[in-house]
Amino acid sequence: MSSRPEHTAPPEIFYNETEAAKYTTNTRVISIQNDMSYRALELLALPEDKACYLLDIGCGSGLSGEVLEEEGHVWVGLDISKSMLDVAADRGVEGDLFEHDIGQGLGFRPGTFDGAISISVVQWLCNADKQSHNPYKRLSRFFTTLYTCLARGARAVFQFYPESPAQIEMIVSSAMKSGFTGGLVVDYPNSTKAKKFFLCLFAGYAGESGKAPELPKALDGEGDSVAYSNQSIRERQRRGDKHRRPVKDKDWIQRKKELARARGKETANDSKYTGRKRKTRF
Amino acid sequence: MRLITHNMLQCHVKGCTTNNFPLQIQDAELETLEAEFNPGFVQRLIPKLHWGALYHTAVSLGIEDLPEQMPEEVTEDLLRAIHKVALETRVKEGKAVCLGCGHVYPISNGIPNMLLQDNEV
């Protein structure tokens, strides 16, 4: 019996209420999802200090979307599991949510999005869960429609868990056939646990130079521990970007709490400690 | 679903290529959620918007904050009006209907159901 969820059930069935609950209560799941979303955002290489219109493919309960929110972007999320989307809606994420099977193609106008991220999703497309499913066709339909709805020069970053080298080949070749350039970035290739596959795709390129963008460098974790470095975020902090206001400040928390109260949900009381960081020793 | 996203959404049923945008919103129940105003973002959004679709959708939902023609001069007031209509107004319940093929996308709890039948893919 393999431990791969794709072998257990189709995604809309596998991600039921119990599974969805893990994504809000299990801090380990949350922190891994967060790290991967930050890394994906880093690989997207969006222009600094500009809010962008982004697509989150397989947004689930909106963990990755919250990372985008935190960086000030406006996002749209797609997922096939209604239970996960309900959790996202309950948590009051700001992005627009859609119940969507990405293998059926995306229905957005050409040039809509400034970028797309996807965390642990594309490997699901390699499975045929119904008699009518043809993985090759579904992958190609997905990538061609994604190419259309991205703006020129936009990037798409997919973190995924390939089952075999053949599956990597299947996904990458399908993306290339749909017109994308780019390729695979493997973080921590020498670690079994921390190894992560990121497929970085470029939808054309916008610069004047007519030169294709270079593939970002992978993290190899030498000297560093296995945890993610969030390099660009650290650099920004070091540079002392004073103009950046944290998005999740006290006002933001207050707004979310009021929203939750308006919806009749249990909310923590307001106090002078609201929105303050805990001391590290806690 | 915010109206900005509605402005980007078209029907993706196989073979539905004419009259598939914009989807008509019916039986709508609206919700207004405040969002932070970002003039730069709205400014960059303007060339992407289909003004006619945004205006007519807004009017059909009873929002009359926008001018019928996109004004030549972009003022702060205009940016704020676009922000209010496109980024703060959400469709909570209802359905989106494609005028080309007649497919109905139901919207519940703010989440449109975009799933298609096998014969529509």
Side-chain angles (χ1 to χ4, degrees):
Chain A
M1 181 72 197
S2 89
S3 62
R4 294 188 70 88
E6 301 95 276
H7 296 173
T8 354
E12 63 271 37
I13 313 245
F14 177 77
Y15 288 106
N16 55 14
E17 273 134 40
T18 357
E19 196 63 28
K22 285 187 195 168
Y23 283 78
T24 45
T25 50
N26 186 329
T27 47
R28 182 180 144 74
V29 172
I30 293 178
S31 94
I32 292 178
Q33 289 278 324
N34 250 331
D35 285 348
M36 292 195 296
S37 315
Y38 269 115
R39 176 67 177 141
L41 196 58
E42 197 177 336
L43 291 173
L44 264 192
L46 296 167
E48 256 181 63
D49 296 330
K50 262 189 191 171
C52 294
Y53 193 42
L54 302 179
L55 182 66
D56 183 356
I57 301 156
C59 61
S61 55
L63 290 172
S64 39
E66 278 190 342
V67 170
L68 304 179
E69 249 166 61
E70 209 166 326
E71 295 290 303
H73 302 298
V74 177
W75 60 282
V76 174
L78 314 175
D79 205 286
I80 195 170
S81 157
K82 188 79 172 68
S83 311
M84 293 287 262
L85 289 170
D86 285 338
V87 171
D90 266 357
R91 297 174 59 200
V93 293
E94 276 166 35
D96 287 318
L97 306 168
F98 286 91
E99 187 180 355
H100 199 119
D101 178 1
I102 53 170
Q104 295 178 341
L106 311 178
F108 293 98
R109 286 201 289 134
T112 297
F113 296 104
D114 305 315
I117 69 163
S118 158
I119 306 296
S120 319
V121 175
V122 258
Q123 74 269 11
W124 285 97
L125 278 183
C126 299
N127 281 47
D129 295 322
K130 287 184 193 160
Q131 213 165 20
S132 58
H133 281 187
N134 175 341
Y136 286 99
K137 274 196 185 147
R138 282 164 60 79
L139 271 170
S140 128
R141 170 105 181 123
F142 166 62
F143 280 120
T144 36
T145 48
L146 175 68
Y147 189 93
T148 320
C149 75
L150 288 176
R152 223 171 102 94
R155 297 183 179 199
V157 176
F158 296 83
Q159 185 278 325
F160 68 113
Y161 293 109
E163 191 180 342
S164 59
Q167 211 176 53
I168 301 181
E169 161 69 20
M170 181 178 173
I171 292 171
V172 176
S173 70
S174 176
M176 299 299 147
K177 275 182 206 153
S178 312
F180 283 106
T181 53
L184 205 60
V185 174
V186 185
D187 279 354
Y188 306 115
N190 302 326
S191 157
T192 4
K193 249 188 174 171
K195 188 175 184 176
K196 291 282 179 306
F197 292 84
F198 287 89
L199 178 61
C200 293
L201 300 176
F202 311 125
Y205 34 96
E208 295 285 311
S209 58
K211 236 173 66 188
E214 262 178 50
L215 208 57
K217 277 212 177 64
L219 305 176
D220 53 13
E222 265 170 35
D224 208 1
S225 66
V226 274
Y228 276 90
S229 66
N230 294 341
Q231 231 167 356
S232 65
I233 292 164
R234 270 204 207 151
E235 254 165 47
R236 200 170 55 213
Q237 279 163 355
R238 202 174 45 228
R239 272 203 313 267
D241 216 337
K242 303 252 164 32
H243 306 294
R244 262 185 77 90
R245 207 165 53 78
V247 179
K248 287 190 175 172
D249 57 2
K250 197 167 179 181
D251 289 343
W252 183 88
I253 293 171
Q254 213 63 48
R255 219 171 50 233
K256 286 267 172 186
K257 282 171 110 176
E258 258 143 46
L259 190 68
R261 280 191 198 116
R263 289 177 171 167
K265 280 200 206 104
E266 217 173 282
T267 318
N269 292 333
D270 299 333
S271 77
K272 65 175 181 183
Y273 299 109
T274 304
R276 279 208 209 159
K277 269 219 161 70
R278 274 188 208 284
K279 278 191 180 151
T280 39
R281 70 180 145 87
F282 183 77
Chain B
M1 176 174 64
R2 284 171 292 209
L3 290 189
I4 172 190
T5 312
H6 170 263
N7 201 273
M8 305 293 166
L9 198 63
Q10 57 187 19
C11 181
H12 65 297
V13 169
K14 187 184 177 189
C16 177
T17 47
T18 49
N19 208 5
N20 61 350
F21 171 84
L23 301 176
Q24 199 180 50
I25 299 178
Q26 295 175 359
D27 309 332
E29 191 185 304
L30 298 182
E31 182 185 38
T32 312
L33 285 182
E34 243 176 73
E36 204 179 328
F37 176 57
N38 182 338
F41 178 76
V42 182
Q43 183 102 49
R44 283 194 301 279
L45 184 69
I46 290 178
K48 283 189 196 170
L49 285 175
H50 188 293
W51 190 264
L54 184 67
Y55 172 76
H56 289 294
T57 310
V59 168
S60 75
L61 296 172
I63 306 165
E64 315 230 336
D65 295 338
L66 295 177
E68 184 167 1
Q69 293 297 326
M70 167 77 202
E72 300 236 322
E73 200 187 342
V74 179
T75 58
E76 164 119 16
D77 285 347
L78 177 73
L79 292 182
R80 280 198 185 274
I82 296 175
H83 173 77
K84 187 163 169 259
V85 174
L87 287 148
E88 292 192 339
T89 314
R90 293 172 186 243
V91 183
K92 191 141 195 269
E93 303 283 333
K95 50 191 181 187
V97 182
C98 170
L99 296 179
C101 66
H103 187 97
V104 179
Y105 300 97
I107 305 172
S108 75
N109 193 17
I111 306 173
N113 181 339
M114 305 301 287
L115 301 178
L116 301 178
Q117 296 295 326
D118 286 341
N119 61 348
E120 292 172 318
V121 184

